[in-house]
Amino acid sequence: MRTLATRTVRFTAGCALGAATAVVELPLVLLGGLVLLLAGARPGTARGVPGPVRAVAAALLAVERRRLGRLLGIRIAPAPDDARALRYLAVRWTLGLLGGAVAALVLVGIAYSSLFVYAWWLDDIAYPLAVAFSNLGGLLLLFLACQGVFGTVMLEEQLARRLLGPSHHDELERRITQLATTRAEMMEAVDGERRRIERDLHDGVQQRLVALGMLLGRARRSHDPAHADALLLQAHEESRRALVELREVAWRVYPTVLDEAGLRAALETVAERTPLPVRLDYTVPVPPPRQTGTVAYFVVSEAVTNVVKHSGATRVEVRVGRDGDRLLLRIQDDGTGGADPAGGGLTGLARRVAALDGRFGVHSPAGGPTRITAELPCA
Amino acid sequence: MRIVIAEDSTLLREGLVRLLAEEGHEVLAAVGDATALLTAVAADPPDVVVADVRMPPTHTDEGLRAALDIRGRWPGTGVLVLSQYVEKRYATELLTSDGGGVGYLLKDRVVEVDEFLDALARVARGQAAFDPEVVRQILARSTRTDPLARLTARERDVLAEMAQGHTNAAIAARLHVSLSAVEKHINAIFDKLGLSGTTGYSRRVLAVLRHLGS
């Protein structure tokens, strides 16, 4: 109830202010229109509009935007070009005057509905019934006027959205640009991962196998049975290590447990495999969709790996929760901070998240601690 | 032989040092990057250098660059380059550097200890040693305009052995034919490829390979 009252007051003030700006705008619009006619500007484009007209329009628009945002709670993203904004100024004065009228009616309604109070105060009520009727009429007028205020604000919003904000076409263009960018970045991220896998195979598994082969080769060439035995023993050990290494690489490529047992189990495995204590706080009742789960897994796993490699932390806290249709991730350590969001691993993560239309944040002041957050769509 | 090893994987480096020590060679230095390799060679030039192509800091072809550098500055030192995979560009660069004393092996070839030691010895003697796999890939190109297409299967075998840097006697032994048969094949090959090969065996190998890799 209170919020409704404050909103009514704010809206009424907004409408009144809108009327005041309309009074200023109307002559300027007429003048500007005249200038545009003389300058031969083409309708619907910003070409040929003289600089002074543009400057005045920009100043008026700034005032309007502030009024819309502060008093009416209408926030509009800036449009890519201001040609349509000129049209907004050309027509909005009509709404301004309407707003002025309804704001005035609100005041009148307040005056009438409180008639009884003044009368009682002045203490000579000759016709109490008539006064009471006037009061009721005033209340009704007040109610209707408030409705008028709300209606005007709705119209203001529609007009502003249509002419001030990005058009449907602009929105589509922006979306296409964004999709093209995230697609290209996704390819980059995938290539980066492939390079890493290649490096893992060559520098890890292959080296171990070559070392193993060398040990066996040396054992075969050895003329001393005891020495050959010792080499075979080493070779056996080396083969075990090569297998472990292979398992590790395969796990880093894609953890099958993610498909078999879901995100929670996969994250628990990450926690188990991490040499630092990892506290996992997982509060997602329904398993997220596969795509989301996979990205969430990689964000946590990469972030935790980074903590182990670079942060000097003693513990990590991973929180996975849900807020409406978003999956929220937070990985926080108690390390020295200074993580570089532009670094390879973090960039790859940011790209993966962006490709899902999610949000990704790195908060890592020098001296720590580092906090990595991600929001993923989870409908 | 006196040997310097450059390999960034500690595991392999240690393995190579042990292997060569067991074979009675003297390992002067075993380093993990190209800069240290050049320093070690400058301090005491060895008979032969074994260098990994990919080494820190950039993990691209530092080892190869250093090897070419060494061939240029210390003609008495042979270089045997080890690579993770066949990269014809590397082979070609080594070939066109200057004559013998160069080798290019797949890293996995180290597992064939006998072959590896044999290649190392040949490079140290100023001959060439190229990985059978490298040669196979070069020989695999066979278009209609390719003079290789005109070789018989037997001549191709001989060419492949030659390209790896084996002597005529070794080829005869490896292919189980007589030495004169090998010489006959080689002459036929040079005729077909339009090469006059009469000046020392490693130069002939290089000429063949250069011709094939062009």
Side-chain angles (χ1 to χ4, degrees):
Chain A
M1 193 69 210
R2 257 193 59 195
T3 54
L4 187 67
T6 52
R7 251 175 56 196
T8 311
V9 171
R10 263 198 324 158
F11 282 1
T12 309
C15 283
L17 187 63
T21 55
V23 170
V24 178
E25 274 159 14
L26 188 52
L28 284 171
V29 164
L30 290 174
L31 198 67
L34 207 59
V35 172
L36 289 188
L37 268 179
L38 294 174
R42 303 253 310 281
T45 63
R47 261 179 314 166
V49 176
V53 172
R54 248 191 239 205
V56 172
L60 287 173
L61 278 175
V63 172
E64 289 297 351
R65 274 183 185 283
R66 211 165 306 155
R67 180 181 70 87
L68 289 170
R70 293 263 170 83
L71 289 170
L72 307 185
I74 302 168
R75 281 172 187 76
I76 307 256
D81 71 318
D82 56 359
R84 284 163 43 254
L86 290 177
R87 261 187 285 167
Y88 172 79
L89 284 180
V91 292
R92 89 137 291 268
W93 59 267
T94 50
L95 270 185
L97 296 183
L98 174 65
V102 290
L105 279 180
V106 169
L107 293 179
V108 172
I110 289 174
Y112 261 102
S113 57
S114 53
L115 204 61
F116 196 76
V117 179
Y118 319 132
W120 182 51
W121 199 36
L122 297 171
D123 200 12
D124 55 348
I125 305 178
Y127 307 103
L129 214 59
V131 173
F133 263 123
S134 291
N135 258 340
L136 276 179
L139 276 175
L140 190 63
L141 177 63
L142 179 60
F143 172 74
L144 290 176
C146 287
Q147 289 294 324
V149 166
F150 276 86
T152 310
V153 172
M154 250 173 61
L155 288 173
E156 285 257 29
E157 175 163 26
Q158 282 193 355
L159 185 71
R161 287 224 180 281
R162 173 154 305 190
L163 291 180
L164 271 191
S167 66
H168 184 60
H169 181 81
D170 294 334
E171 286 284 356
L172 284 179
E173 277 202 344
R174 197 187 57 79
R175 179 68 179 152
I176 289 169
T177 312
Q178 187 210 357
L179 287 176
T181 310
T182 54
R183 189 183 63 168
E185 288 185 336
M186 196 62 217
M187 304 291 280
E188 276 278 319
V190 168
D191 286 347
E193 274 163 27
R194 291 197 164 183
R195 268 194 293 274
R196 204 177 61 186
I197 294 165
E198 187 268 348
R199 181 71 64 81
D200 275 354
L201 285 172
H202 270 321
D203 294 356
V205 181
Q206 192 190 13
Q207 311 278 24
R208 289 227 175 268
L209 289 175
V210 172
L212 169 66
M214 275 167 69
L215 284 167
L216 292 172
R218 281 165 58 199
R220 283 178 62 190
R221 287 175 72 88
S222 170
H223 303 299
D224 169 11
H227 183 56
D229 270 351
L231 287 173
L232 279 179
L233 197 68
Q234 274 186 51
H236 194 189
E237 267 308 304
E238 201 56 64
S239 73
R240 283 204 194 111
R241 278 200 286 268
L243 281 172
V244 170
E245 187 102 36
L246 186 61
R247 249 203 318 273
E248 292 278 332
V249 171
W251 173 269
R252 280 198 294 271
V253 174
Y254 194 88
T256 40
V257 67
L258 195 56
D259 290 342
E260 290 161 8
L263 178 60
R264 182 180 199 143
L267 293 182
E268 278 167 356
T269 319
V270 170
E272 284 158 22
R273 297 162 62 96
T274 306
L276 296 174
V278 177
R279 219 188 101 223
L280 177 63
D281 176 12
Y282 185 96
T283 49
V284 185
V286 187
R290 203 174 126 173
Q291 277 277 331
T292 307
T294 307
V295 173
Y297 167 81
F298 278 109
V299 168
V300 173
S301 136
E302 179 73 23
V304 170
T305 308
N306 274 342
V307 169
V308 174
K309 267 196 213 158
H310 308 298
S311 78
T314 60
R315 46 192 302 280
V316 194
E317 191 182 84
V318 178
R319 291 179 62 174
V320 186
R322 193 161 175 166
D323 176 20
D325 60 352
R326 321 275 296 163
L327 187 73
L328 307 179
L329 304 173
R330 204 183 76 179
I331 302 98
Q332 178 149 1
D333 65 24
D334 60 349
T336 52
D340 178 16
L346 288 177
T347 313
L349 288 186
R351 286 169 172 173
R352 262 181 180 275
V353 173
L356 269 193
D357 286 329
R359 301 225 310 253
F360 183 76
V362 178
H363 178 79
S364 184
T370 301
R371 188 172 67 240
I372 287 177
T373 52
E375 263 183 49
L376 299 166
C378 185
Chain B
M1 291 184 281
R2 300 160 75 256
I3 304 172
V4 170
I5 296 170
E7 159 66 60
D8 61 320
S9 152
T10 322
L11 190 70
L12 275 192
R13 196 166 62 224
E14 289 310 306
L16 282 170
V17 171
R18 294 249 170 79
L19 168 66
L20 295 170
E22 277 167 21
E23 294 296 323
H25 298 302
E26 185 189 352
V27 179
L28 302 179
V31 298
D33 63 79
T35 321
L37 168 62
L38 289 171
T39 312
V41 173
D44 185 4
D47 300 323
V48 64
V49 166
V50 181
D52 184 1
V53 172
R54 281 215 286 197
M55 280 194 288
T58 65
H59 289 276
T60 49
D61 57 0
E62 288 84 348
L64 183 79
R65 300 272 147 257
L68 292 169
D69 197 13
I70 290 167
R71 276 311 289 142
R73 286 162 62 189
W74 292 280
T77 298
V79 291
L80 178 61
V81 175
L82 300 180
S83 175
Q84 305 264 33
Y85 42 84
V86 175
E87 175 73 68
K88 235 163 60 182
R89 193 165 46 91
Y90 296 160
T92 317
E93 284 202 55
L94 278 169
L95 284 173
T96 44
S97 60
D98 69 335
V102 288
Y104 180 84
L105 290 189
L106 273 182
K107 206 178 242 190
D108 309 358
R109 200 64 58 190
V110 177
V111 171
E112 315 289 344
V113 176
D114 303 356
E115 278 190 48
F116 169 68
L117 291 170
D118 178 47
L120 196 61
R122 277 187 280 141
V123 170
R125 283 202 301 270
Q127 299 168 353
F130 282 82
D131 196 284
E133 184 60 25
V134 177
V135 175
R136 198 188 59 74
Q137 286 204 14
I138 293 175
L139 290 182
R141 293 182 313 120
S142 185
T143 58
R144 269 178 309 153
T145 54
D146 196 332
L148 282 179
R150 301 208 306 270
L151 299 183
T152 65
R154 206 57 177 153
E155 284 163 357
R156 279 164 172 277
D157 293 343
V158 173
L159 179 61
E161 292 295 334
M162 254 178 45
Q164 287 173 45
H166 292 295
T167 59
N168 290 2
I171 295 173
R174 289 167 73 94
L175 295 180
H176 310 295
V177 293
S178 70
L179 185 61
S180 63
V182 169
E183 281 163 1
K184 199 176 71 178
H185 284 311
I186 290 177
N187 285 331
I189 292 167
F190 280 118
D191 281 348
K192 286 182 183 177
L193 297 183
L195 294 162
S196 55
T198 49
T199 47
Y201 117 95
S202 77
R203 286 264 293 286
R204 288 193 327 188
V205 172
L206 296 172
V208 171
L209 270 177
R210 212 169 284 166
H211 182 81
L212 298 178
S214 61

